[in-house]
Amino acid sequence: MMQSGIFTAYFPYGLEETAKKIRSHGFNTVQLDLHFKDIDLSAGKLDKQNTKKVRDTFRAHDLPICAVSGYTNIIHPDLAHRKANVERLKEIIRNARNFGTAYVISETGTYNTESEWMSDPKNKSEEGFETCRKVISELAQEAYDHGAMFLLETYVNNVVGSVEETVRMFAQVDHPGLGLLMDPTNYFETHNIDAMDKVVNQVFDTLADKIKIAHAKDVARAGDDKSEKHADIGDDDALASHTFRGVGEIVLNAPGTGSLNYDLYLKRLAEKHPNIPIIIEHLDEADVPRAKKFLDDKFIAHGL
């Protein structure tokens, strides 16, 4: 059966309390965010003692870690900043197995200097793509060398922001250390949101064998979503056409509050990945029971 999980960051507590609260909602896996009130997991602190403590705490609550969040701007236009971001991501990759997983996730970044979620003309240039390709190749090799896998997460405002760009990147970085984080909502802008099912099918038709972990959130045109509550962080990052967290012409909100065809999404996901972890995101703690029930009901309806 499919495994339902959630990002640990939606529970801003100490390590033990976070694990207890997540398990109390009936989840059976987590995507690990490296932020807890009582343990330092910042750069240089991912030693064996800390990583083992985190892994064992979640395991003790029947919550194996299925992936680690490594989100950062891997092609930041400031070269020193870019180097620091990439080195931190490599540090996380090297320690993934100590957390009990092979998978570390990040988007592909942007050349925008104001926000890592905003687009930039260079993102769609050949130079921009090639720079990104080189970094992804490095990350894939780093992951492979340490028994891990770097998962690319497509996002419209980044260098890899469409189905076609995702396919191209996997063709050019054909490496066992590279996989795909599947989140269909990240592919939509105003020009293609009315062809949602077509785009979702296109992703699965071309990239299904690359998928390792899946996310569960939603997408809608602003004003069409079914909830007044979008994301709990980052709402100041408003864009003209799209935003990563909850404002703009397109909103990315909690699962079950938008327009994504979850019946199609889960059907296609189950075809090749019937046991895949699906990680809920873009909500606050108070909305977790509703979102969990929404996903569980979909699982039951489809026999997953």
Side-chain angles (χ1 to χ4, degrees):
M1 61 180 290
M2 289 188 176
Q3 309 297 307
S4 64
I6 195 166
F7 282 72
T8 61
Y10 296 115
F11 299 84
Y13 308 104
L15 178 61
E16 178 74 19
E17 187 176 3
T18 296
K20 284 182 179 179
K21 285 181 176 291
I22 292 175
R23 186 58 187 165
S24 72
H25 289 287
F27 291 108
N28 51 21
T29 188
V30 294
Q31 179 169 326
L32 181 68
D33 297 296
L34 300 175
H35 306 286
F36 299 96
K37 288 187 174 181
D38 56 357
I39 185 169
D40 185 1
L41 300 172
S42 60
K45 300 295 185 179
L46 298 185
D47 55 39
K48 287 187 177 180
Q49 180 178 351
N50 279 347
T51 54
K52 183 178 185 296
K53 181 177 181 180
V54 172
R55 180 196 68 199
D56 291 350
T57 298
F58 281 101
R59 283 183 176 176
H61 292 278
D62 296 319
L63 289 169
I65 296 165
C66 68
V68 183
S69 298
Y71 298 105
T72 191
N73 190 350
I74 66 173
I75 44 89
H76 195 285
D78 181 286
L79 295 183
H81 197 160
R82 181 191 302 174
K83 181 179 180 181
N85 287 352
V86 172
E87 286 305 311
R88 169 59 170 170
L89 184 50
K90 287 181 177 179
E91 179 188 20
I92 296 170
I93 288 170
R94 289 192 295 271
N95 285 278
R97 284 292 185 179
N98 293 333
F99 286 118
T101 181
Y103 303 128
V104 177
I105 306 168
S106 179
E107 289 103 351
T108 55
T110 177
Y111 293 96
N112 192 290
T113 58
E114 297 181 17
S115 170
E116 62 183 292
W117 309 119
M118 292 176 68
S119 60
D120 187 88
K122 189 175 179 181
N123 291 356
K124 304 308 173 185
S125 68
E126 285 301 312
E127 178 189 359
F129 189 91
E130 177 59 17
T131 298
C132 186
R133 184 199 65 77
K134 289 178 180 179
V135 176
I136 289 176
S137 294
E138 286 181 27
L139 294 170
Q141 187 62 50
E142 188 80 14
Y144 183 76
D145 290 344
H146 292 85
M149 181 176 286
F150 172 63
L151 301 190
L152 177 162
E153 182 171 351
T154 305
Y155 173 59
V156 291
N157 283 334
N158 287 180
V159 172
V160 178
S162 67
V163 181
E164 292 79 11
E165 289 162 349
T166 309
V167 170
R168 181 185 178 193
M169 187 60 75
F170 275 96
Q172 294 194 16
V173 187
D174 185 11
H175 195 289
L178 181 64
L180 180 66
L181 182 285
M182 178 56 182
D183 188 334
T185 66
N186 286 353
Y187 294 81
F188 295 110
E189 299 179 274
T190 54
H191 72 88
N192 66 354
I193 193 169
D194 293 327
M196 194 173 291
D197 288 2
K198 178 181 178 181
V199 175
V200 170
N201 280 320
Q202 185 184 7
V203 177
F204 282 104
D205 290 344
T206 55
L207 293 160
D209 62 325
K210 306 296 184 183
I211 297 168
K212 305 300 177 182
I213 303 288
H215 280 176
K217 62 175 183 285
D218 223 316
V219 62
R221 291 184 183 275
D224 291 343
D225 59 311
K226 303 169 187 174
S227 171
E228 295 179 359
K229 191 178 297 179
H230 301 151
D232 57 323
I233 51 177
D235 283 353
D236 56 337
D237 283 345
L239 311 185
S241 62
H242 193 285
T243 184
F244 187 66
R245 303 194 191 273
V247 286
E249 292 184 35
I250 303 294
V251 293
L252 298 177
N253 43 358
T257 64
S259 305
L260 182 67
N261 183 346
Y262 260 89
D263 296 314
L264 174 63
Y265 176 33
L266 295 178
K267 174 179 178 292
R268 294 302 310 265
L269 198 57
E271 288 172 355
K272 285 196 172 183
H273 305 284
N275 299 309
I276 196 168
I278 304 180
I279 309 300
I280 290 175
E281 61 172 339
H282 282 221
L283 75 177
D284 58 26
E285 187 178 350
D287 193 36
V288 170
R290 181 209 58 80
K292 177 69 162 55
K293 184 178 186 304
F294 168 79
L295 197 59
D296 287 348
D297 288 347
K298 290 294 182 183
F299 287 173
I300 292 170
H302 292 277
L304 301 175

